[in-house]
Amino acid sequence: MIDDLYSARILTLAANLPHAGRLPAPEGVGERVAKLCGSRAIVDVGLDAQGRVADFAQDVKACALGQAAAGVLGDSVIGATVQEIQAARDDMLAMLKSSGDGPTGRFEGLRALKQVADYPARHASTMVAIEATLDAVSQAIDTRTRLAGAA
């Protein structure tokens, strides 16, 4: 059964981590750690004039499932709005915890992780990259809002 969890598709996604590294001057930084296993993601973002993700980098130290989720995220996040990332996070949680279908649209690739639902101890590691991304984008938006208010 554990072999089904670590399918060839998951391992391929885990091996491909787009936008690995850090940005030199991010607008927002998010970090999440899965307490149970220690999987960690640090995400840097820069936003365009409309508040969409324009620059993205991720430093992910996670199990194959966390790496696979980060791989899908890295392939899909450029151009995403905070609302799209929030919806993907919410749909991902519903998929893992409540038999939901999973994310749609640009983040539909995260559905490859549907079988993780059967392994609750792996849920947090699967979510670290998307949660860190949401934190980074939210921080960047908050900073812009604060600076605009001060001007």
Side-chain angles (χ1 to χ4, degrees):
M1 192 160 180
I2 197 84
D3 290 338
D4 294 336
L5 185 60
Y6 293 100
S7 67
R9 171 91 171 116
I10 295 296
L11 295 176
T12 299
L13 288 169
N16 176 32
L17 191 63
H19 305 286
R22 302 292 307 269
L23 294 178
E27 285 187 84
V29 178
E31 180 174 5
R32 287 294 179 113
V33 176
K35 293 177 182 163
L36 184 63
C37 66
S39 290
R40 177 187 55 82
I42 301 172
V43 172
D44 298 332
V45 299
L47 306 178
D48 66 13
Q50 290 75 40
R52 296 177 305 223
V53 176
D55 294 313
F56 176 84
Q58 57 185 343
D59 180 11
V60 180
K61 306 289 189 260
C63 66
L65 300 171
Q67 290 282 133
V72 172
L73 184 70
D75 273 342
S76 308
V77 75
I78 300 296
T81 65
V82 68
Q83 293 85 3
E84 287 175 305
I85 299 166
Q86 286 170 334
R89 188 258 333 260
D90 294 346
D91 291 346
M92 187 76 175
L93 286 171
M95 180 180 79
L96 294 175
K97 297 181 181 301
S98 323
S99 301
D101 292 331
T104 58
R106 74 169 61 240
F107 296 107
E108 189 169 334
L110 290 168
R111 290 179 175 202
L113 295 154
K114 190 167 181 72
Q115 68 272 22
V116 178
D118 295 333
Y119 301 90
R122 303 287 191 214
H123 292 182
S125 64
T126 305
M127 296 298 298
V128 293
I130 196 163
E131 293 282 9
T133 300
L134 189 53
D135 290 347
V137 172
S138 296
Q139 182 185 80
I141 290 170
D142 290 348
T143 299
R144 282 189 177 188
T145 301
R146 205 170 40 254
L147 291 175

